[in-house]
């Protein structure tokens, strides 16, 4: 069809030129015609045509035909349609064909409609004019998008689908990106509700290099909201009640949209009762009345309250509750030091851990109750002005110390459970509510214990004897060693001072050495008493005889000496030698006296004989 049209146009042009030629020949003198005849044009096969006619012809061509330059957008007319294609007339030598796939966005396309097309190729291999409506729309769309961005105009867009982080929007045939944060001023939780909708947008960013377009719907409403916000902020007053919508719920509170202005209800201002999370009281998009509690100087941070719209539960608490009454409630919060019990909505009392059991061995509140438990307790204190109440559970059972003197008299023996250690002793639980203390010195007669854990373990059953009882002070003094015979009583005779025992050096220390005489008796040997007979000192493991030079039952002190063994013998030998020497000297003295007497008698006899003569 296009070829027939082109053929008809060529024939019409030839006929027009022939008519001009014939008209010139009939009106002009032959002689004059020959003088002015252009032989060069004749040789090239071109007859001269009047300039006026040529201008008329050029005007006619310019009026009826377009310049079919490549990559140019022109307007065309749909002249025919098939099942797959549309024939487009752009007033060129031939008509173009475009697939109907490029018009899927316009299912109502019909013959006679005006459409923009891009002259893709002026003539392909078959001489066909190649057009593209899709490319034309893209070029025109970019021009319109850029113009809308520069002029900050509002554009219409069709939300096609969701994508990561936002939505894909068709704007003038271009796929633009709508970030999730730019859909609305409030957080969007369901993106699917916008798919398939036509909305107004503002072009906020264009990347020409990557052909990316970013649009925003939020920008259109922010200006209006800002005006509303200024108006609302200007009217805010403490105590004012406003209607708002739950915008966001966090673990610490709820954000309320007051019509462009956000306020926060802290979790403690949501309900007079304790709650673990705000979603127990409110839900997203819920409408509610709130009261303004406070705001900063520029009113950018607004503190709201919900529970303040209702009367405080303590004010509604009846006078029937008084100290000593039994009440029932639910455990709402547990801490290490106790549990809070809600005895009425918004009214709580504290059960301190010390009021949960008569036991003086304190444990954690979790050992007695858990959140959600229904418990019964006794009102211990009640302060309506400060809105405080203390409760007790142990008061529901008798105090075990009321008959302590009859159950645990001094000197009686019992069994208890080791509950705790200290550096100075062991706490033993006799029964629930009655604990006693065993001092470290009352654990063993013979062992030197530095810490109770060396002797017993927590949870052990231990036999004890009541040593002291202080009813007023609620103190019970116990002993474990008193349940057995004191072995030091018999050791006092066996290891008395002067007794000799054979043993080995167990350990050498700075000032001497230790000797294990048996499993209970550990003796100390001072360094000067470790000397042997040959002058050397005893070493570890040497087994010799030792003499007990000190025994103290009260302080469990035993001092021994090896040197005293042979030094005593030496002293005995010296003493014997001294006695023998004294006897010999005495005997020698007696013999000399007798000789002197005999000499004197002889002298006297001789003198007497001389006189007689």
């Amino acid at each position: 069809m296009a070829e027939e049209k082109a053929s008809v146009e060529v024939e019409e042009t030839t006929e027009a030129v022939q008519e001009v030629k014939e008209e010139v020949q009939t009106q002009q003198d032959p002689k004059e015609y020959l003088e002015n005849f252009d032989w060069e044009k004749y040789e090239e096969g071109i007859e001269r045509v009047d300039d006026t006619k040529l201008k008329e012809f050029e005007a006619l061509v310019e009026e009826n035909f377009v310049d079919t330059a490549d990559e140019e957008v022109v307007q065309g007319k749909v002249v025919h349609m098939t099942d797959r294609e549309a024939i487009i007339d752009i007033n060129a030598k031939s008509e173009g064909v475009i697939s109907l796939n490029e018009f899927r966005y316009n299912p109502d396309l019909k013959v006679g409609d005006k459409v923009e097309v891009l002259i893709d190729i002026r003539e392909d291999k078959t001489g066909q004019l190649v057009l593209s409506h899709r490319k034309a729309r893209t070029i025109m769309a970019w021009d319109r998008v850029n113009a809308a961005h520069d002029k900050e105009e509002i554009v219409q867009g069709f939300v096609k689908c969701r994508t990561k982080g936002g939505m894909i929007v068709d704007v003038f045939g271009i796929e633009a990106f709508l970030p999730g944060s730019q859909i609305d001023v409030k957080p969007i939780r369901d993106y699917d509700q916008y798919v398939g909708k036509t909305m107004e947008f503002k072009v906020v960013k264009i990347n020409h290099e990557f052909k990316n377009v970013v649009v925003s719907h939020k920008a259109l409403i922010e200006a209006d909201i800002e005006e509303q916000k200024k108006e609302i902020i200007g009217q805010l007053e403490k105590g004012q009640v406003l209607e708002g919508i739950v915008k966001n719920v966090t673990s610490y509170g709820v954000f309320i949209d007051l019509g462009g202005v956000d306020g926060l209800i802290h979790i403690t201002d949501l309900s007079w009762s304790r709650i673990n999370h705000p979603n127990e009281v409110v839900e997203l998009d819920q409408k509610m009345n709130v009261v303004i509690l406070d705001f900063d100087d520029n009113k950018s941070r607004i503190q709201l309250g919900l529970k303040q719209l209702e009367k405080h539960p303590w004010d509604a608490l009846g006078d029937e509750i008084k100290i000593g009454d039994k009440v029932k409630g639910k455990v709402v919060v547990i801490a290490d030091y106790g549990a809070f019990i809600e005895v009425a909505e918004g009214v709580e009392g504290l059960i301190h851990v010390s009021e949960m059991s008569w036991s003086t061995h304190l444990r954690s509140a979790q050992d007695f109750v858990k959140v959600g438990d229904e418990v019964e307790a006794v009102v211990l204190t009640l302060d309506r002005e400060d809105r405080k109440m203390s409760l007790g559970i142990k008061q529901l059972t008798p105090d075990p110390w009321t008959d302590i003197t009859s159950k645990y008299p001094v000197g009686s023996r019992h069994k208890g459970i080791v509950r705790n250690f200290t550096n100075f002793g062991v706490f033993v639980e006799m029964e629930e509510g009655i604990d006693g203390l065993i001092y470290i010195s009352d654990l063993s007669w013979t062992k030197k214990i530095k810490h109770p854990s060396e002797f017993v373990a927590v949870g052990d059953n231990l036999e004890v004897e009541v040593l002291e009882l202080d009813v007023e002070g609620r103190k019970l003094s116990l002993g474990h060693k008193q349940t057995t015979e004191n072995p030091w009583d018999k050791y006092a005779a066996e290891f008395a001072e002067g007794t000799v025992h054979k043993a080995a050096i167990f350990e050498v220390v700075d000032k001497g050495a230790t000797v294990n005489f048996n499993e209970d008796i550990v003796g100390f040997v001072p360094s000067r008493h470790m000397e042997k007979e040959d002058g050397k000192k005893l070493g570890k493991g040497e087994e010799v005889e030792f003499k007990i030079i000190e025994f103290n039952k009260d302080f469990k002190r035993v001092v021994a000496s090896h040197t005293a063994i042979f030094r005593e013998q030496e002293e005995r030998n010296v003493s014997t030698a001294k006695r023998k020497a004294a006897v010999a000297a005495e005997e020698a003295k007696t013999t000399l006296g007798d000789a002197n007497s005999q000499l004197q008698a002889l002298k006297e006899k001789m003198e007497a004989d001389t006189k007689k003569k």
Side-chain angles (χ1 to χ4, degrees), residues 264-282:
L264 173 65
I265 306 176
H266 194 268
I267 187 172
T268 56
D269 291 316
L270 282 170
S271 173
W272 291 115
S273 301
R274 283 184 187 265
I275 57 174
N276 296 316
H277 197 277
N279 57 20
E280 298 176 17
V281 180
V282 300

Side-chain angles (χ1 to χ4, degrees), residues 39-193:
W39 291 101
E40 182 178 353
K41 290 183 178 180
Y42 175 77
E43 290 177 356
E44 292 180 1
I46 301 175
E47 292 286 345
R48 176 171 179 166
V49 182
D50 184 62
D51 291 340
T52 302
K53 295 292 185 180
L54 289 175
K55 289 180 180 180
E56 291 178 358
F57 179 73
E58 290 173 358
L60 182 64
V61 171
E62 184 177 353
E63 180 181 352
N64 292 279
F65 295 98
V66 298
D67 183 9
T68 56
D70 296 346
E71 300 295 332
E72 182 181 353
V73 176
V74 298
Q75 191 176 65
K77 181 179 179 181
V78 180
V79 296
H80 185 68
M81 293 178 63
T82 67
D83 293 340
R84 296 183 178 180
E85 298 171 330
I87 310 302
I88 309 298
D89 181 11
I90 62 170
N91 289 331
K93 291 183 179 180
S94 60
E95 297 166 343
V97 179
I98 299 178
S99 173
L100 289 179
N101 287 335
E102 297 191 22
F103 296 97
R104 281 184 297 179
Y105 75 95
N106 184 11
D108 299 327
L109 183 70
K110 60 185 182 298
V111 174
D113 285 352
K114 301 287 185 178
V115 294
E116 291 79 17
V117 296
L118 175 72
I119 301 174
D120 213 357
I121 302 176
R122 190 162 46 202
E123 286 187 6
D124 61 6
K125 295 180 180 180
T126 63
Q128 179 66 53
L129 177 64
V130 179
L131 305 176
S132 174
H133 178 61
R134 183 183 293 110
K135 291 182 179 180
R137 285 188 71 211
T138 302
I139 292 174
M140 294 182 66
W142 270 105
D143 293 340
R144 294 174 68 182
V145 166
N146 279 280
H149 178 262
D150 295 340
K151 297 178 182 180
E152 297 186 355
E153 294 178 348
I154 298 174
V155 298
Q156 293 281 341
F158 177 76
V159 182
K160 297 177 65 175
C161 62
R162 286 188 57 180
T163 187
K164 184 178 180 180
M167 316 287 288
I168 298 298
V169 179
D170 187 328
V171 179
F172 305 137
I174 294 177
E175 289 189 347
F177 177 60
L178 172 64
S181 60
Q182 296 298 315
I183 297 176
D184 205 337
V185 290
K186 61 182 180 180
I188 302 300
R189 292 172 290 277
D190 182 15
Y191 285 19
D192 292 333
Q193 62 179 314

Side-chain angles (χ1 to χ4, degrees), residues 190-208:
D190 182 15
Y191 285 19
D192 292 333
Q193 62 179 314
Y194 295 95
V195 176
K197 290 186 177 181
T198 299
M199 303 169 59
E200 291 184 337
F201 300 98
K202 185 177 181 180
V203 180
V204 294
K205 186 177 180 180
I206 297 178
N207 188 320
H208 294 279

Side-chain angles (χ1 to χ4, degrees), residues 310-379:
E310 300 176 355
K311 188 177 181 180
H312 198 289
W314 271 90
D315 298 334
L317 188 65
D319 296 334
E320 64 274 7
I321 296 181
K322 56 186 182 298
I323 295 176
D325 287 350
K326 293 181 181 180
V327 293
K328 289 184 179 181
K330 183 174 68 174
V331 179
V332 291
V333 174
I334 292 181
D336 289 337
Y337 56 85
F340 288 92
I341 311 299
E342 187 177 50
V343 298
E345 186 176 356
V347 178
E348 296 177 1
L350 171 64
I351 304 178
H352 193 270
V353 67
S354 62
E355 303 297 339
M356 291 183 175
S357 170
W358 288 110
S359 175
T360 56
H361 172 63
L362 295 182
R363 288 173 279 176
S364 174
Q366 287 91 337
D367 296 333
F368 299 95
V369 294
K370 60 180 182 295
V371 174
D373 283 353
E374 294 284 344
V375 297
E376 186 178 22
V378 176
V379 179

Side-chain angles (χ1 to χ4, degrees), residues 187-350:
I188 302 300
R189 292 172 290 277
D190 182 15
Y191 285 19
D192 292 333
Q193 62 179 314
Y194 295 95
V195 176
K197 290 186 177 181
T198 299
M199 303 169 59
E200 291 184 337
F201 300 98
K202 185 177 181 180
V203 180
V204 294
K205 186 177 180 180
I206 297 178
N207 188 320
H208 294 279
E209 181 180 356
F210 297 101
K211 297 293 184 181
N212 291 335
V213 178
V214 180
V215 296
S216 171
H217 179 68
K218 175 182 176 182
L220 299 179
I221 56 178
E222 279 183 334
D224 295 337
I225 290 178
E226 192 64 30
E227 292 297 326
Q228 296 176 13
K229 185 176 180 180
K230 290 180 181 178
E231 183 178 352
I232 294 173
I233 288 177
Q235 300 175 355
L236 290 181
E237 294 180 1
K238 293 182 181 180
Q240 185 179 11
V241 178
L242 299 174
E243 185 181 64
I245 300 175
V246 178
K247 182 178 180 180
N248 192 19
V249 179
T250 67
S251 59
Y252 56 86
V254 179
F255 287 93
I256 304 295
D257 183 0
L258 301 175
V261 180
D262 290 347
L264 173 65
I265 306 176
H266 194 268
I267 187 172
T268 56
D269 291 316
L270 282 170
S271 173
W272 291 115
S273 301
R274 283 184 187 265
I275 57 174
N276 296 316
H277 197 277
N279 57 20
E280 298 176 17
V281 180
V282 300
E283 58 185 16
L284 289 172
D285 300 326
Q286 178 182 346
K287 286 186 178 182
M288 62 174 58
N289 289 331
V290 292
V291 61
I292 297 176
L293 303 180
D294 200 0
F295 44 74
D296 56 6
D297 294 337
N298 56 8
K299 298 182 180 179
S300 59
R301 293 185 178 181
I302 304 171
Q303 182 180 346
L304 304 175
L306 179 63
K307 71 180 184 181
Q308 288 78 5
L309 296 174
E310 300 176 355
K311 188 177 181 180
H312 198 289
W314 271 90
D315 298 334
L317 188 65
D319 296 334
E320 64 274 7
I321 296 181
K322 56 186 182 298
I323 295 176
D325 287 350
K326 293 181 181 180
V327 293
K328 289 184 179 181
K330 183 174 68 174
V331 179
V332 291
V333 174
I334 292 181
D336 289 337
Y337 56 85
F340 288 92
I341 311 299
E342 187 177 50
V343 298
E345 186 176 356
V347 178
E348 296 177 1
L350 171 64

